Structure formats: structure tokens, C-alpha cells
Amino acid sequence: MEHRPFAGISVPVIGMGTSKTFDVPEVNDDRQRITDIALDAGANFFDSSPMYGNAERILAATLAPRRDGAIVATKVWTPDDDEAERQINASLDYFGGHVEVFQVHNLVEWRARLDQLEARRDKGELDIVAATHWQASALGELEDVMRTGRIAAIQVPYNPHEREVERRILPLAQDIGLGVILMRPFAAGGLVGRSPSASDLAPLRGFGVTTWPQALLKYGLSHPATSVSIPATTRRERMAENAAVGDGPWFGPEEKALVEQLAR
Ligand SMILES: NC(=O)c1ccc[n+]([C@@H]2O[C@H](COP(=O)([O-])OP(=O)(O)OC[C@H]3O[C@@H](n4cnc5c(N)ncnc54)[C@H](OP(=O)(O)O)[C@@H]3O)[C@@H](O)[C@H]2O)c1
């Protein structure tokens, strides 16, 4: 598994998201196995949020036996300062008193949240402060946050149907050396409902791609600004399939154009 370090953390190019997929009432064998498969494959970067129902609690329980081998990226998501403190405390409790990457979710009240996260970072409770948004309309504001110099990473969507970040956000992240966590590699599942044929995908075989979801993962990670992609799944075999494209060679313009054409 290739690693693309940012802010001093060695990050694998494939990780895992937990929105919806880990919002289950209690840990079950499937969720435990999905986390274990990710860890075994070296896809040990896990994204969550208090916005995702039970996901943080369930992820934390599945990670508990191997917490040291994981990089946890969670979020704070509220307009209320006191509630933000509660969310941060709850996340720290879930993940053993320390979180590697703490993100301001959807830029909600970001100035106050950055103050709070920076104070926690100074106490050693977290390593990296970051910010996320998923809507194209918010990218201007995200750019402002990037330019404050207060964050070390961003999380944004990037796939053949959501390419707005190519224009300004990804080049800016590269210019100022920010990590880029790539969310929604399958457009929340919208891109994997149907799959191109094996012969359509044949030109990508030399890149280690045998399935359409793998082509989409490689598409995003072939942009040199990206650090880690975080596909979410409820199925063990899909976690293994996703983790299997964590090495180069990466796509050039021709292969990216093919994936864009196949995604139409
Ligand atoms: N504002 C934010 O910060 C924000 C917003 C959105 C997302 N995120 C983060 O980004 C993560 C990823 O985004 P997402 O969950 O919205 O969407 P996604 O990862 O693009 O797509 C998830 C969907 O793809 C399916 N899938 C996964 N692997 C597959 C495979 N190999 N073959 C076929 N289908 C596959 C899953 O279905 P099955 O379960 O059936 O496999 C699931 O329905 C989230 O979980 C979350 O952690 C953050």
C-alpha cells in the first residue's frame, strides 16, 4: 500500500469512510470483519463524525483491539460551542484519549471550532486540524479556511461526476502542502449502480484495475494532490476489493478520460 504522508503522518492511499455504513445499533461480525480487513490490507485510515449516528461508537469498538495500528479522522459538527466541547470529548473517549485528525465538519462555525481544536492539539489530544465540505457551493469558503494557515488537511469530494475541486482547491492544496482526504469516490454509490463491461475496462488492467469501483478509486488517487480515498461499504469483499488498488502505476490523462467517458 502506497503512503502519502501529510503533516508528519504516514497515510495510506486507501482508507475507509463510515457514513451510513457503520450507523448500526451494535457491533456485529460484519462490521468487525470490515475493519479487520481494512487494517490487514494496510488501509488503516478511518473517517467518521458525530453526524453519522452510531458510526463513531461502532468504529471505535471495532478498532479497540488494534487502535494503535489505526489513523482516526473524525469531526466536530455543531453551531454550539458547548456542544462542540461535548462532541470532542466524546470522540476522544471513543478513540482512547487521542485522535489523529480532527476535522471541522461542513465548515460549521469554523472559526470557533478551529480555536477549540487548536487548544486540544496544544494539549496533545489530537495531531492534525482539518476541515471538510461536500458541496461545490462551499468551496470558496473552504479556500478561505485553507488560506488561514490553520489547517493541515482538507476533505472534499472527487469523482468523475464531482470535479469542481480540480479548478482551485486541489492546486491550492498542492501549493501550500495540505493533505487531501478524498470523500465520495463513488458519488455515494451513484457511480457504482451499473458497471462498464470487462472489455471497456481492459485498457486499465495494466494499472492493477479489474473492476469498475477500482477504476473510480484509481481515478481520484491519480490526481497528485490527493492523499487518501475513503470509500465506505457494508460488505467485506468490497473492502478487500477497494483496498487492492493502493499502489501505482497511477492513471495518466488518457486513462482518466476513459473513466470519465465510462462514467457518463
Ligand atoms: N461532509 C463530509 O465531511 C462528508 C460527506 C460525505 C462523505 N464523507 C465521508 O466520505 C465517506 C465516503 O463517502 P460516501 O460514503 O458518501 O460514499 P462512497 O464511498 O462514494 O460510496 C459508498 C457506497 O458505495 C458502495 N460501495 C463501496 N464499495 C463498493 C464496491 N467495491 N463495489 C460496489 N459498491 C461499493 C457502498 O455500498 P455497499 O455498502 O453495498 O458496499 C455504498 O453505498 C463517508 O463514509 C464519510 O466518511 C464526508
Side-chain angles (χ1 to χ4, degrees), residues 18-19 47 52 106 132 155 184 186 188 230 232-234 238 242:
T18 59
S19 171
D47 180 75
Y52 306 157
N106 290 350
T132 81
Q155 182 180 148
R184 295 166 58 87
F186 308 138
I230 50 168
T233 182
T234 53
R238 289 180 172 174
N242 296 343

Side-chain angles (χ1 to χ4, degrees), residues 25-217:
E26 294 304 331
V27 177
N28 56 41
D29 194 43
D30 264 328
R31 298 306 179 284
Q32 185 64 58
R33 287 290 299 137
I34 289 167
T35 297
D36 286 337
I37 288 166
L39 286 167
D40 291 343
N44 63 339
F45 184 100
F46 299 91
D47 180 75
S48 197
S49 171
M51 191 206 223
Y52 306 157
N54 296 319
E56 270 191 302
R57 176 169 63 81
I58 300 303
L59 173 65
T62 63
L63 279 178
R66 302 166 73 179
R67 174 66 184 91
D68 286 353
I71 301 166
V72 172
T74 195
K75 311 190 188 84
V76 56
W77 175 67
T78 171
D80 182 85
D81 293 353
D82 294 335
E83 174 57 16
E85 286 298 314
R86 278 192 288 277
Q87 288 184 0
I88 296 167
N89 287 334
S91 300
L92 289 167
D93 281 350
Y94 285 139
F95 295 108
H98 185 86
V99 163
E100 284 72 26
V101 183
F102 228 116
Q103 306 158 97
V104 181
H105 200 152
N106 290 350
L107 304 180
V108 179
E109 209 62 50
W110 60 267
R111 289 180 185 80
R113 297 303 151 260
L114 290 184
D115 290 344
Q116 288 169 299
L117 292 177
E118 285 167 351
R120 301 303 188 108
R121 187 187 56 200
D122 293 346
K123 286 207 267 178
E125 294 175 349
L126 57 101
D127 296 326
I128 288 177
V129 177
T132 81
H133 212 295
W134 67 281
Q135 279 175 317
S137 58
L139 294 182
E141 191 177 6
L142 181 63
E143 202 177 317
D144 293 342
V145 181
M146 292 165 77
R147 291 187 191 281
T148 63
R150 297 178 71 181
I151 59 171
I154 54 170
Q155 182 180 148
V156 288
Y158 183 45
N159 61 61
H161 286 179
E162 295 175 288
R163 296 178 53 196
E164 295 83 358
V165 292
E166 280 179 346
R167 210 163 55 86
R168 295 175 66 101
I169 297 291
L170 295 180
L172 179 62
Q174 263 185 306
D175 271 2
I176 55 183
L178 300 188
V180 174
I181 303 162
L182 190 167
M183 66 162 92
R184 295 166 58 87
F186 308 138
L191 276 164
V192 284
R194 58 161 197 98
S195 176
S197 68
S199 64
D200 283 337
L201 295 174
L204 307 178
R205 220 169 281 146
F207 293 80
V209 165
T210 56
T211 69
W212 177 232
Q214 290 180 334
L216 292 166
L217 289 169

